[in-house]
Amino acid sequence: MSIYVYQIFVIKQDKFKEAIENLKAIQKFRNEQYDHTVEILSPITGADHTYALLTKYEGLAEMELQDKKMFDDENYLKLIGDFFLQHIAEGSMNTQIFRSLNEIKNS
């Protein structure tokens, strides 16, 4: 059953260009190094500097395994550390986890 992790955050206006570059590097690194897919979502309406990451995993166990691998990886920790500390507004991160109902069989 697919699991989706939806993380929204506000990018600091004075760090916008650097934040987008960092965000794209995080996306590329995760898509190439780990067994999940990451998409960057940009706003069409609403708050202009509120962006999101949408990550798809094959299940909860896979999410936990991939997260463990990421947080044991010094290169990933450097990328994500710079992003969180320098490019997003403090306290703006919100994470939600969803599962796909499309894969649940009706009895």
Side-chain angles (χ1 to χ4, degrees):
M1 173 182 319
S2 295
I3 298 295
Y4 296 88
V5 177
Y6 178 67
Q7 297 177 293
I8 62 169
F9 45 86
V10 175
I11 293 176
K12 294 178 183 176
Q13 291 184 23
D14 63 331
K15 298 284 188 170
F16 186 76
K17 183 179 183 292
E18 297 90 346
I20 295 299
E21 290 171 0
N22 192 199
L23 197 53
K24 286 181 179 179
I26 291 168
Q27 177 192 33
K28 183 178 189 288
F29 187 83
R30 287 178 62 177
N31 284 338
E32 291 176 355
Q33 300 296 319
Y34 303 107
D35 191 21
H36 60 258
T37 57
V38 178
E39 291 184 46
I40 300 169
L41 306 177
S42 64
I44 294 175
T45 63
D48 289 339
H49 289 15
T50 300
Y51 279 69
L53 290 177
L54 181 64
T55 307
K56 181 181 179 185
Y57 298 91
E58 291 304 315
L60 283 172
E62 189 63 31
M63 180 186 77
E64 290 181 6
L65 177 64
Q66 296 306 312
D67 283 359
K68 180 176 180 353
K69 287 180 181 179
M70 287 187 297
F71 288 102
D72 287 342
D73 186 330
E74 292 296 323
N75 293 323
Y76 176 71
L77 292 177
K78 172 81 171 104
L79 278 173
I80 202 76
D82 288 347
F83 183 70
F84 285 130
L85 295 174
Q86 298 175 20
H87 300 128
I88 68 167
E90 186 175 342
S92 70
M93 176 70 75
N94 182 300
T95 302
Q96 296 178 330
I97 301 174
F98 298 90
R99 69 173 164 230
S100 174
L101 289 179
N102 293 338
E103 299 167 17
I104 298 176
K105 295 178 182 175
N106 293 332
S107 330

